[in-house]
Amino acid sequence: MFGHPDASLDEGVLMPISRRLFLSAAGATTALAATPLLASCSPGRSTGYAPLPDVDLGGEDVDESFLNLLVRLNDEIVLDTEESAADFLEGNPNARSTVREIKRVVSAYVRPESDHHESNALIEVADSLMTHLESLQNTSGLFDSGNNLDSPPDSCFSLIDMTIIERILVSLDEGEDFEALRDRNAELAQSVASGIVVGGAHTTNHRWEIVGALLEADALWPDDALKERAEEWLAEGIDVYDDGQFSERSTQYSSEVVKPSLIRVAHRLEDQSALDMVRDNLRVTALITDDSGTVETVHSRRQDQDRIRPDWWHLLQYREFAIRDQNAEFSWYAHRIVEEQDPGIAIFLGEVLAFPGLAGVLPDPEEPQIETETHLPDSGLLIRRDDSTGRRSTLTLFAGSDYHEHQTIASGLSTNPTFLRYKSGAAELSSVRLAPEF
């Protein structure tokens, strides 16, 4: 189908796909189909690790425009009255949604730039939300998430936010009104962590979310069992291809989960090799992101293989490695994402407050040179770009489906029948599919 409603042949936007081009594309996808076996990498205590430079959020070395934007966007959606909190709780939100709202509330409370700075109303809101969160905990210590009952990995998403809440609140003076909330948060987080220690996972990326959550909890509330369990998971080896893609080849369900998790591993175990894997995946993510900021998903093995996913979810990794490596191209991606001011990036305020180094000043941005061809052989993906006509044309070829081997459709398998996409200017042929029967 053609995606842009304003495109027309008269405008010269659409470029016809000839029989020769179609057949050459089909031949290329056949050549792509042989996918090598997965390489497994185990993070170790490699040398060369250094933390991000420390940043004083009230000092001169902070990116004020970035921080202020996050505060403003957070203010626009934070639950700032008891009525708004009651409306939210009426829908019986799950643990992950609830703790995320608590994180928004405490982030607004502590920032002087916020319209809700030190608002007594936020204290009442946070108390109501925490009471609901506590009521959701099962006797196992874990939370449910939809059909995932007593789920260790889904509980990890909540635990991570609880560790961020602790890091934000620890900056407040003793005797502050949030002291009781901090105590409740710490008690709940430790009991959740205990449940995660004895639990398992139901997708590959969840292992690294578990590891990151346990290490973060151990850093705040030391418990040998947490670190020991994390190291047991790490001994399995990170499932990553030589081309930098994680085994699920998914931006939403893999890269967006594994990259932050491996950064936590690097921080807590002082492990440079974990950072190297994140950097490699971030480079690949940039290579498969189009001009509109959409990350290619056709090769994914998860539910996002037929979805559109924006690249703003990778903002903090772009910022971290722009600062770490003084990387001008990563800085360009971070600047572009911020310039779009998608309201979704408000979700990152809490993490920036917990880890102020992420708010450091970026190096001067430099727009990346166009890669005429991006070939990810381990994923069966080839992207060719051409600017010779004065507008960007992009041909995407995919031949990494798992269907021929497994003959079924399931989460964890690549089964999208699309083998070709084509874009020229504002016009898009979003899917050419090959099926043996109709």
Side-chain angles (χ1 to χ4, degrees), residues 15 49 65 73 92 117 122 146 169 194 204 222 240 302-304 337-338 376 406 425 429:
M15 294 180 63
Y49 171 82
S65 62
L73 293 175
N92 192 30
H117 179 51
L122 293 189
L169 292 182
S194 296
T204 59
V240 61
R302 294 296 302 277
Q303 296 95 311
D304 61 335
I337 291 171
V338 168
L376 305 182
H406 298 280
L429 175 64

Side-chain angles (χ1 to χ4, degrees), residues 248-250 297-305 413-414:
E248 292 176 306
R249 305 187 318 214
S250 165
T297 58
V298 68
H299 59 305
S300 172
R301 287 188 164 120
R302 294 296 302 277
Q303 296 95 311
D304 61 335
Q305 60 189 265
L413 296 178
S414 169

Side-chain angles (χ1 to χ4, degrees), residues 12-91:
V13 175
L14 298 181
M15 294 180 63
I17 298 180
S18 66
R19 180 175 181 274
R20 180 185 300 275
L21 175 59
F22 181 87
L23 292 177
S24 68
T29 56
T30 301
L32 286 172
T35 302
L37 293 175
L38 191 69
S40 179
C41 299
S42 298
R45 297 180 183 276
S46 60
T47 60
Y49 171 82
L52 276 177
D54 193 26
V55 168
D56 178 2
L57 292 180
E60 297 180 354
D61 54 350
V62 66
D63 186 343
E64 290 186 5
S65 62
F66 169 63
L67 181 58
N68 290 340
L69 173 62
L70 294 187
V71 171
R72 177 175 65 79
L73 293 175
N74 188 68
D75 277 356
E76 292 175 359
I77 57 178
V78 68
L79 301 174
D80 58 349
T81 65
E82 292 187 54
E83 290 76 17
S84 63
D87 289 343
F88 172 75
L89 294 173
E90 187 175 353

Side-chain angles (χ1 to χ4, degrees), residues 205 208 238 246 253-263 278:
N205 74 81
W208 318 130
I238 308 299
F246 300 113
Y253 295 92
S254 186
S255 292
E256 293 170 20
V257 173
V258 179
K259 286 206 295 288
S261 299
L262 290 181
I263 288 175
V278 175

Side-chain angles (χ1 to χ4, degrees), residues 57 103 117 211-212 349 363:
L57 292 180
K103 182 176 66 172
H117 179 51
V211 168
L349 176 59

